[in-house]
Amino acid sequence: MQLFLDTADVDAIRRYASWGVIDGVTTNPSLIARSGRVFEEVIEEICSIVDGPISAEVTALEAEGMVDEGERLAGIHPNVVVKVPLIPEGLKATKALSARGIRTNVTLCFSPTQALLAAKAGATMVSPFIGRLDDRGERGMALIEDIVTTFRAYPRITTQVLVASTRHADHVRQAMLLGADISTVPPKLLDQMVTHDLTDKGLAAFLEDWKKARTAAPQPA
Ligand code: G3P
Protein backbone atom coordinates (compact mmCIF):
# COMPACT_ATOMS: atom_id res chain seq x y z
CA MET A 1 0.00 0.00 0.00
CA GLN A 2 1.31 3.43 -0.92
CA LEU A 3 1.56 6.20 1.68
CA PHE A 4 0.81 9.81 0.73
CA LEU A 5 1.79 12.46 3.28
CA ASP A 6 -1.23 14.73 3.92
CA THR A 7 0.22 18.20 4.50
CA ALA A 8 1.39 21.36 2.73
CA ASP A 9 4.12 21.99 5.33
CA VAL A 10 7.29 21.68 3.25
CA ASP A 11 9.57 21.36 6.29
CA ALA A 12 7.54 18.38 7.48
CA ILE A 13 7.53 16.93 3.96
CA ARG A 14 11.32 17.23 3.80
CA ARG A 15 11.70 15.61 7.25
CA TYR A 16 9.41 12.64 6.60
CA ALA A 17 10.49 12.15 2.97
CA SER A 18 14.00 11.50 4.30
CA TRP A 19 12.66 8.25 5.86
CA GLY A 20 12.30 6.88 2.33
CA VAL A 21 8.73 5.61 2.81
CA ILE A 22 6.63 8.41 1.28
CA ASP A 23 5.14 7.69 -2.17
CA GLY A 24 3.29 10.97 -2.74
CA VAL A 25 1.68 14.00 -1.10
CA THR A 26 -1.91 15.22 -0.81
CA THR A 27 -2.90 18.80 -0.13
CA ASN A 28 -6.23 20.61 0.05
CA PRO A 29 -7.20 24.30 0.15
CA SER A 30 -7.33 24.27 3.99
CA LEU A 31 -3.79 22.84 4.25
CA ILE A 32 -2.42 25.31 1.67
CA ALA A 33 -4.13 28.22 3.46
CA ARG A 34 -2.53 27.07 6.74
CA SER A 35 0.91 27.25 5.09
CA GLY A 36 0.30 30.98 4.44
CA ARG A 37 2.17 30.74 1.11
CA VAL A 38 1.39 31.13 -2.59
CA PHE A 39 -0.37 27.98 -3.83
CA GLU A 40 1.69 27.36 -6.99
CA GLU A 41 4.98 27.94 -5.17
CA VAL A 42 4.11 25.40 -2.47
CA ILE A 43 3.09 22.77 -5.04
CA GLU A 44 6.28 23.36 -7.04
CA GLU A 45 8.43 23.02 -3.92
CA ILE A 46 6.63 19.82 -2.83
CA CYS A 47 7.24 18.36 -6.32
CA SER A 48 10.96 19.08 -5.90
CA ILE A 49 11.04 17.09 -2.63
CA VAL A 50 8.88 14.02 -3.35
CA ASP A 51 9.02 12.16 -6.65
CA GLY A 52 5.47 10.80 -6.77
CA PRO A 53 1.87 11.93 -7.26
CA ILE A 54 1.25 15.36 -5.67
CA SER A 55 -2.44 16.29 -5.33
CA ALA A 56 -3.36 19.94 -5.84
CA GLU A 57 -7.03 20.91 -5.56
CA VAL A 58 -9.06 23.19 -7.82
CA THR A 59 -11.27 25.83 -6.20
CA ALA A 60 -13.63 26.62 -9.12
CA LEU A 61 -17.17 25.28 -8.77
CA GLU A 62 -18.02 24.94 -12.44
CA ALA A 63 -16.57 22.31 -14.76
CA GLU A 64 -15.10 24.79 -17.21
CA GLY A 65 -13.27 26.69 -14.47
CA MET A 66 -12.10 23.42 -12.88
CA VAL A 67 -10.65 22.25 -16.20
CA ASP A 68 -8.83 25.57 -16.76
CA GLU A 69 -7.45 25.49 -13.21
CA GLY A 70 -6.60 21.80 -13.54
CA GLU A 71 -4.65 22.38 -16.74
CA ARG A 72 -2.74 25.22 -15.07
CA LEU A 73 -1.96 23.06 -12.02
CA ALA A 74 -0.90 20.09 -14.16
CA GLY A 75 1.45 22.47 -15.98
CA ILE A 76 3.41 23.12 -12.76
CA HIS A 77 4.99 19.64 -12.79
CA PRO A 78 4.28 16.26 -14.44
CA ASN A 79 3.69 14.71 -11.00
CA VAL A 80 0.73 16.98 -10.19
CA VAL A 81 -2.60 15.16 -9.82
CA VAL A 82 -5.60 17.49 -10.04
CA LYS A 83 -7.94 17.16 -7.08
CA VAL A 84 -11.59 17.73 -7.97
CA PRO A 85 -14.62 17.73 -5.62
CA LEU A 86 -17.22 14.98 -5.95
CA ILE A 87 -20.09 17.10 -7.29
CA PRO A 88 -21.76 16.91 -10.74
CA GLU A 89 -19.52 19.70 -12.11
CA GLY A 90 -16.52 17.84 -10.68
CA LEU A 91 -17.49 14.67 -12.54
CA LYS A 92 -17.71 16.63 -15.81
CA ALA A 93 -14.31 18.17 -15.13
CA THR A 94 -12.84 14.76 -14.27
CA LYS A 95 -14.07 13.33 -17.57
CA ALA A 96 -12.61 16.30 -19.51
CA LEU A 97 -9.28 16.28 -17.67
CA SER A 98 -8.85 12.53 -18.06
CA ALA A 99 -9.60 12.88 -21.81
CA ARG A 100 -6.69 15.34 -21.91
CA GLY A 101 -4.44 12.80 -20.17
CA ILE A 102 -4.42 14.74 -16.87
CA ARG A 103 -4.57 12.59 -13.74
CA THR A 104 -7.31 13.35 -11.20
CA ASN A 105 -8.03 12.65 -7.55
CA VAL A 106 -11.77 12.96 -6.90
CA THR A 107 -12.12 14.14 -3.34
CA LEU A 108 -14.75 14.53 -0.60
CA CYS A 109 -16.20 11.07 -1.27
CA PHE A 110 -18.55 9.83 1.45
CA SER A 111 -20.50 6.97 -0.17
CA PRO A 112 -19.82 3.89 -2.34
CA THR A 113 -22.12 5.17 -5.09
CA GLN A 114 -20.23 8.49 -5.22
CA ALA A 115 -17.04 6.43 -5.65
CA LEU A 116 -18.60 4.51 -8.54
CA LEU A 117 -19.45 7.80 -10.28
CA ALA A 118 -15.87 9.03 -9.82
CA ALA A 119 -14.56 5.80 -11.37
CA LYS A 120 -16.99 6.06 -14.30
CA ALA A 121 -15.85 9.66 -14.92
CA GLY A 122 -12.30 8.32 -15.29
CA ALA A 123 -10.79 9.39 -11.96
CA THR A 124 -7.24 8.17 -11.40
CA MET A 125 -7.91 8.10 -7.65
CA VAL A 126 -10.93 8.54 -5.41
CA SER A 127 -10.57 9.87 -1.85
CA PRO A 128 -13.13 8.57 0.69
CA PHE A 129 -12.87 10.64 3.91
CA ILE A 130 -13.13 8.10 6.71
CA GLY A 131 -12.27 10.25 9.75
CA ARG A 132 -15.06 12.70 9.02
CA LEU A 133 -17.57 9.80 8.91
CA ASP A 134 -16.20 8.40 12.20
CA ASP A 135 -16.56 11.92 13.69
CA ARG A 136 -20.31 11.76 13.24
CA GLY A 137 -20.71 8.24 14.55
CA GLU A 138 -20.58 6.35 11.25
CA ARG A 139 -18.03 3.65 10.42
CA GLY A 140 -15.66 5.23 7.89
CA MET A 141 -13.81 1.97 7.29
CA ALA A 142 -17.05 0.28 6.12
CA LEU A 143 -16.99 2.74 3.21
CA ILE A 144 -13.48 1.62 2.25
CA GLU A 145 -14.55 -2.01 2.45
CA ASP A 146 -17.54 -1.34 0.15
CA ILE A 147 -15.48 0.56 -2.41
CA VAL A 148 -12.54 -1.89 -2.46
CA THR A 149 -14.96 -4.85 -2.82
CA THR A 150 -16.89 -3.15 -5.63
CA PHE A 151 -13.82 -2.04 -7.58
CA ARG A 152 -12.35 -5.55 -7.26
CA ALA A 153 -15.56 -7.06 -8.66
CA TYR A 154 -15.30 -4.89 -11.80
CA PRO A 155 -11.81 -5.32 -13.27
CA ARG A 156 -12.44 -2.56 -15.84
CA ILE A 157 -12.37 -0.04 -13.00
CA THR A 158 -8.78 1.15 -12.64
CA THR A 159 -9.46 4.01 -10.19
CA GLN A 160 -7.25 3.70 -7.11
CA VAL A 161 -8.77 3.87 -3.62
CA LEU A 162 -7.01 6.57 -1.61
CA VAL A 163 -8.03 6.36 2.04
CA ALA A 164 -8.23 9.99 3.25
CA SER A 165 -8.95 11.78 6.50
CA THR A 166 -7.08 9.16 8.51
CA ARG A 167 -6.80 10.02 12.19
CA HIS A 168 -4.80 7.20 13.83
CA ALA A 169 -2.50 4.30 13.01
CA ASP A 170 -5.32 1.78 13.26
CA HIS A 171 -7.01 3.44 10.26
CA VAL A 172 -3.85 2.65 8.26
CA ARG A 173 -3.77 -0.94 9.59
CA GLN A 174 -7.37 -1.51 8.55
CA ALA A 175 -6.82 0.14 5.15
CA MET A 176 -3.91 -2.18 4.39
CA LEU A 177 -5.83 -5.27 5.51
CA LEU A 178 -8.65 -4.31 3.15
CA GLY A 179 -6.19 -3.95 0.28
CA ALA A 180 -6.71 -0.21 -0.33
CA ASP A 181 -4.24 1.16 -2.89
CA ILE A 182 -3.13 4.23 -0.94
CA SER A 183 -3.51 5.73 2.52
CA THR A 184 -2.97 9.37 3.37
CA VAL A 185 -0.92 9.96 6.49
CA PRO A 186 -0.77 13.27 8.33
CA PRO A 187 2.76 13.76 9.80
CA LYS A 188 1.72 12.95 13.40
CA LEU A 189 0.29 9.65 12.25
CA LEU A 190 3.64 8.59 10.77
CA ASP A 191 5.19 9.21 14.20
CA GLN A 192 2.51 6.98 15.75
CA MET A 193 3.12 4.29 13.13
CA VAL A 194 6.86 4.10 13.68
CA THR A 195 6.72 4.12 17.46
CA HIS A 196 6.39 1.05 19.71
CA ASP A 197 7.35 0.94 23.39
CA LEU A 198 8.83 -2.56 22.98
CA THR A 199 11.09 -1.26 20.18
CA ASP A 200 12.39 1.49 22.50
CA LYS A 201 12.78 -0.86 25.49
CA GLY A 202 14.41 -3.54 23.34
CA LEU A 203 16.89 -1.11 21.82
CA ALA A 204 17.80 0.34 25.24
CA ALA A 205 18.41 -3.21 26.58
CA PHE A 206 20.56 -4.20 23.56
CA LEU A 207 22.73 -1.11 23.96
CA GLU A 208 23.04 -1.60 27.73
CA ASP A 209 24.14 -5.25 27.28
CA TRP A 210 26.58 -4.20 24.58
CA LYS A 211 28.11 -1.54 26.86
CA LYS A 212 28.44 -4.06 29.73
CA ALA A 213 30.07 -6.71 27.49
CA ARG A 214 32.57 -4.20 26.18
CA THR A 215 33.57 -3.09 29.69
CA ALA A 216 33.93 -6.73 30.86
CA ALA A 217 35.82 -8.13 27.83
CA PRO A 218 39.50 -7.32 27.21
CA GLN A 219 39.77 -4.76 24.39
CA PRO A 220 42.09 -5.39 21.39
CA ALA A 221 45.45 -3.60 21.73
O1 G3P B 1 -6.63 15.87 2.32
C1 G3P B 1 -7.90 15.42 2.67
C2 G3P B 1 -8.08 14.81 4.03
O2 G3P B 1 -7.12 13.88 4.34
C3 G3P B 1 -8.56 15.71 5.11
O3 G3P B 1 -8.51 15.13 6.39
O4 G3P B 1 -8.49 15.33 8.85
O5 G3P B 1 -9.29 17.29 7.47
O6 G3P B 1 -10.67 15.22 7.68
P1 G3P B 1 -9.29 15.78 7.66
Side-chain angles (χ1 to χ4, degrees):
M1 186 174 70
Q2 296 182 67
L3 294 177
F4 287 3
L5 198 57
D6 194 32
T7 182
D9 174 346
V10 290
D11 293 330
I13 295 172
R14 231 175 235 111
R15 190 163 64 249
Y16 290 98
S18 72
W19 291 11
V21 298
I22 298 302
D23 303 292
V25 176
T26 47
T27 66
N28 61 38
S30 310
L31 293 171
I32 299 275
R34 217 171 290 155
S35 79
R37 297 182 51 197
V38 177
F39 185 25
E40 288 78 1
E41 281 175 22
V42 182
I43 297 298
E44 205 173 343
E45 192 170 346
I46 297 174
C47 290
S48 73
I49 305 170
V50 174
D51 185 17
I54 311 297
S55 288
E57 189 159 343
V58 298
T59 50
L61 287 176
E62 278 165 20
E64 207 181 314
M66 290 181 192
V67 173
D68 288 348
E69 241 185 282
E71 283 183 317
R72 198 166 42 76
L73 293 172
I76 296 176
H77 193 281
N79 283 348
V80 169
V81 174
V82 178
K83 217 168 169 186
V84 175
L86 215 164
I87 56 176
E89 291 297 305
L91 294 176
K92 287 188 216 169
T94 301
K95 189 90 188 170
L97 288 166
S98 85
R100 288 165 172 74
I102 295 175
R103 290 181 296 166
T104 52
N105 170 1
V106 176
T107 188
L108 290 166
C109 171
F110 292 95
S111 78
T113 45
Q114 279 186 316
L116 178 67
L117 294 176
K120 291 183 74 70
T124 314
M125 302 160 195
V126 64
S127 290
F129 276 34
I130 55 167
R132 294 190 191 186
L133 285 169
D134 286 358
D135 288 348
R136 55 179 223 179
E138 295 178 42
R139 212 166 68 77
M141 215 32 89
L143 173 59
I144 303 302
E145 193 169 358
D146 284 355
I147 300 173
V148 168
T149 309
T150 308
F151 284 11
R152 231 179 252 147
Y154 296 96
R156 278 172 60 194
I157 295 181
T158 54
T159 305
Q160 295 179 303
V161 181
L162 197 172
V163 180
S165 181
T166 50
R167 299 281 161 77
H168 45 73
D170 202 56
H171 274 151
V172 180
R173 182 189 70 86
Q174 292 177 62
M176 67 196 200
L177 285 176
L178 289 170
D181 301 285
I182 309 156
S183 175
T184 58
V185 275
K188 70 163 199 274
L189 207 152
L190 266 180
D191 288 325
Q192 271 182 33
M193 283 167 67
V194 78
T195 308
H196 200 288
D197 62 325
L198 290 179
T199 305
D200 296 340
K201 280 183 196 150
L203 181 60
F206 286 158
L207 293 181
E208 192 50 37
D209 290 343
W210 181 244
K211 216 161 54 189
K212 275 190 219 146
R214 281 179 66 87
T215 357
Q219 297 301 306

mmCIF file of all heavy atoms in Angstrom, residues 6 26-28 31 83 129 132 164-165 167 184, ligand 1:
data_model
loop_
_atom_site.group_PDB
_atom_site.id
_atom_site.type_symbol
_atom_site.label_atom_id
_atom_site.label_comp_id
_atom_site.label_asym_id
_atom_site.label_seq_id
_atom_site.Cartn_x
_atom_site.Cartn_y
_atom_site.Cartn_z
ATOM 1 N N ASP A 6 -0.110 13.789 4.064
ATOM 2 C CA ASP A 6 -1.226 14.727 3.920
ATOM 3 C C ASP A 6 -0.884 16.036 4.619
ATOM 4 O O ASP A 6 -1.258 16.241 5.776
ATOM 5 C CB ASP A 6 -2.494 14.085 4.531
ATOM 6 C CG ASP A 6 -3.768 14.819 4.135
ATOM 7 O OD1 ASP A 6 -3.820 15.375 3.027
ATOM 8 O OD2 ASP A 6 -4.715 14.833 4.936
ATOM 9 N N THR A 26 -0.590 14.646 -0.522
ATOM 10 C CA THR A 26 -1.911 15.218 -0.811
ATOM 11 C C THR A 26 -2.026 16.546 -0.078
ATOM 12 O O THR A 26 -1.558 16.678 1.057
ATOM 13 C CB THR A 26 -3.059 14.287 -0.340
ATOM 14 O OG1 THR A 26 -2.792 13.853 0.994
ATOM 15 C CG2 THR A 26 -3.205 13.080 -1.222
ATOM 16 N N THR A 27 -2.628 17.512 -0.769
ATOM 17 C CA THR A 27 -2.902 18.796 -0.127
ATOM 18 C C THR A 27 -4.373 19.110 -0.375
ATOM 19 O O THR A 27 -5.023 18.442 -1.180
ATOM 20 C CB THR A 27 -2.049 19.927 -0.737
ATOM 21 O OG1 THR A 27 -2.451 20.130 -2.094
ATOM 22 C CG2 THR A 27 -0.556 19.612 -0.694
ATOM 23 N N ASN A 28 -4.882 20.092 0.324
ATOM 24 C CA ASN A 28 -6.228 20.607 0.045
ATOM 25 C C ASN A 28 -6.210 22.099 0.352
ATOM 26 O O ASN A 28 -5.226 22.590 0.933
ATOM 27 C CB ASN A 28 -7.295 19.826 0.845
ATOM 28 C CG ASN A 28 -7.108 19.934 2.353
ATOM 29 O OD1 ASN A 28 -6.751 20.995 2.867
ATOM 30 N ND2 ASN A 28 -7.331 18.845 3.069
ATOM 31 N N LEU A 31 -5.210 23.061 3.908
ATOM 32 C CA LEU A 31 -3.792 22.838 4.245
ATOM 33 C C LEU A 31 -2.908 23.910 3.600
ATOM 34 O O LEU A 31 -1.974 24.414 4.224
ATOM 35 C CB LEU A 31 -3.345 21.442 3.781
ATOM 36 C CG LEU A 31 -3.968 20.246 4.507
ATOM 37 C CD1 LEU A 31 -3.604 18.937 3.807
ATOM 38 C CD2 LEU A 31 -3.528 20.196 5.961
ATOM 39 N N LYS A 83 -6.908 17.599 -8.023
ATOM 40 C CA LYS A 83 -7.937 17.157 -7.079
ATOM 41 C C LYS A 83 -9.227 17.924 -7.376
ATOM 42 O O LYS A 83 -9.231 19.161 -7.471
ATOM 43 C CB LYS A 83 -7.444 17.476 -5.660
ATOM 44 C CG LYS A 83 -7.812 16.454 -4.622
ATOM 45 C CD LYS A 83 -7.038 16.726 -3.345
ATOM 46 C CE LYS A 83 -7.559 15.896 -2.205
ATOM 47 N NZ LYS A 83 -6.923 16.259 -0.943
ATOM 48 N N PHE A 129 -13.320 9.994 2.661
ATOM 49 C CA PHE A 129 -12.869 10.643 3.909
ATOM 50 C C PHE A 129 -13.395 9.860 5.112
ATOM 51 O O PHE A 129 -14.512 10.106 5.573
ATOM 52 C CB PHE A 129 -13.418 12.080 3.961
ATOM 53 C CG PHE A 129 -12.608 13.094 3.217
ATOM 54 C CD1 PHE A 129 -11.942 12.781 2.045
ATOM 55 C CD2 PHE A 129 -12.526 14.407 3.688
ATOM 56 C CE1 PHE A 129 -11.199 13.736 1.351
ATOM 57 C CE2 PHE A 129 -11.788 15.370 3.007
ATOM 58 C CZ PHE A 129 -11.132 15.037 1.844
ATOM 59 N N ARG A 132 -13.902 11.808 8.884
ATOM 60 C CA ARG A 132 -15.056 12.702 9.023
ATOM 61 C C ARG A 132 -16.354 11.910 9.197
ATOM 62 O O ARG A 132 -17.306 12.407 9.804
ATOM 63 C CB ARG A 132 -15.144 13.650 7.821
ATOM 64 C CG ARG A 132 -13.964 14.606 7.803
ATOM 65 C CD ARG A 132 -14.100 15.720 6.799
ATOM 66 N NE ARG A 132 -12.830 16.415 6.669
ATOM 67 C CZ ARG A 132 -12.634 17.512 5.957
ATOM 68 N NH1 ARG A 132 -13.645 18.050 5.322
ATOM 69 N NH2 ARG A 132 -11.446 18.068 5.896
ATOM 70 N N ALA A 164 -8.566 8.635 2.781
ATOM 71 C CA ALA A 164 -8.230 9.987 3.246
ATOM 72 C C ALA A 164 -8.892 10.275 4.587
ATOM 73 O O ALA A 164 -9.758 9.528 5.032
ATOM 74 C CB ALA A 164 -8.676 11.008 2.216
ATOM 75 N N SER A 165 -8.429 11.364 5.201
ATOM 76 C CA SER A 165 -8.952 11.785 6.504
ATOM 77 C C SER A 165 -8.674 10.707 7.572
ATOM 78 O O SER A 165 -9.528 10.398 8.388
ATOM 79 C CB SER A 165 -10.458 12.087 6.365
ATOM 80 O OG SER A 165 -11.035 12.517 7.543
ATOM 81 N N ARG A 167 -7.024 9.314 10.924
ATOM 82 C CA ARG A 167 -6.804 10.016 12.194
ATOM 83 C C ARG A 167 -5.846 9.290 13.135
ATOM 84 O O ARG A 167 -5.367 9.861 14.097
ATOM 85 C CB ARG A 167 -8.152 10.199 12.917
ATOM 86 C CG ARG A 167 -9.152 11.012 12.150
ATOM 87 C CD ARG A 167 -8.823 12.506 12.280
ATOM 88 N NE ARG A 167 -9.455 13.289 11.227
ATOM 89 C CZ ARG A 167 -10.744 13.629 11.208
ATOM 90 N NH1 ARG A 167 -11.524 13.259 12.185
ATOM 91 N NH2 ARG A 167 -11.222 14.342 10.225
ATOM 92 N N THR A 184 -3.606 8.106 3.006
ATOM 93 C CA THR A 184 -2.974 9.374 3.369
ATOM 94 C C THR A 184 -2.466 9.215 4.800
ATOM 95 O O THR A 184 -3.042 8.444 5.591
ATOM 96 C CB THR A 184 -3.956 10.565 3.332
ATOM 97 O OG1 THR A 184 -5.025 10.299 4.223
ATOM 98 C CG2 THR A 184 -4.472 10.819 1.941
HETATM 99 O O1 G3P B 1 -6.631 15.868 2.324
HETATM 100 C C1 G3P B 1 -7.896 15.423 2.671
HETATM 101 C C2 G3P B 1 -8.083 14.810 4.029
HETATM 102 O O2 G3P B 1 -7.125 13.876 4.343
HETATM 103 C C3 G3P B 1 -8.560 15.714 5.113
HETATM 104 O O3 G3P B 1 -8.507 15.132 6.387
HETATM 105 O O4 G3P B 1 -8.487 15.333 8.854
HETATM 106 O O5 G3P B 1 -9.292 17.288 7.469
HETATM 107 O O6 G3P B 1 -10.670 15.215 7.676
HETATM 108 P P1 G3P B 1 -9.289 15.776 7.661
#
